[in-house]
Amino acid sequence: MAPLIVLLVVTGSTRLAGWLGLTDWLDSWPHAARLGLAAMFLLTASAHFLQPRRNALIAMLPPRLPAPAALVTLTGVLETAGAVGLLIPFFAPAAALCLAVLMVVMFPANVHAARSGQGIKTMPLPLRTVVQIVFIGTCVLAAF
């Protein structure tokens, strides 16, 4: 739930700053969404490297996948790179679309975790699915 809160608070507050005229660049939902997503992905990426969340993420992976610890590290690096890319205007559209694809690719781990009772258990799968759709939709918004 914390990633969703970060996304909503940062996106909303930066969009409000744009609406108030503090900066013209933030007077745009896609630009505000980029900042919200960057904050959210930096938060989620930290879990890929810091205990005890790292072990919980490793446990979430379906057993048929090889080298789960390496995959968790890789996805953490990709989330961090995507967050940085969102902050660089030239790369932001591509970073947003790549992060949307990454979220689709990683979703089976959420399904496995919900069914097996392993890993990070923040919300039931139907609600997690809705939240994931919000994240992906925000990535698509940030790409424009």
Side-chain angles (χ1 to χ4, degrees), residues 17 19 29 38 42 46 56 63 81 83 86 92 94 99 102 105 108 122 130:
W19 181 72
W29 278 110
L42 289 174
S46 70
L86 287 167
L99 286 166
L102 181 64
V105 169
T122 57
V130 170

Side-chain angles (χ1 to χ4, degrees), residues 2-139:
L4 178 61
I5 292 168
V6 167
L7 174 63
L8 294 176
V9 168
V10 173
T11 301
S13 60
T14 55
R15 184 62 183 94
L16 178 62
W19 181 72
L20 293 173
L22 299 176
T23 172
D24 288 339
W25 190 79
L26 291 177
D27 197 15
S28 153
W29 278 110
H31 292 163
R34 290 175 186 175
L35 293 177
L37 285 167
M40 182 196 82
F41 277 109
L42 289 174
L43 172 68
T44 59
S46 70
H48 292 243
F49 305 106
L50 303 173
Q51 296 297 350
R53 293 277 198 198
R54 178 175 170 77
N55 286 341
L57 289 173
I58 292 168
M60 286 177 67
L61 292 177
R64 67 182 176 275
L65 293 176
L71 289 174
V72 167
T73 300
L74 174 63
T75 55
V77 168
L78 292 173
E79 287 182 10
T80 302
V84 171
L86 287 167
L87 301 176
I88 303 170
F90 179 79
F91 295 110
L97 293 176
C98 287
L99 286 166
V101 170
L102 181 64
M103 296 198 72
V104 170
V105 169
M106 292 188 319
F107 191 68
N110 290 292
V111 173
H112 172 71
R115 290 184 176 161
S116 69
Q118 297 178 348
I120 298 174
K121 300 173 212 86
T122 57
M123 59 188 80
L125 186 58
L127 181 57
R128 178 66 184 138
T129 303
V130 170
V131 170
Q132 195 83 356
I133 291 168
V134 169
F135 292 161
I136 293 168
T138 306
C139 286

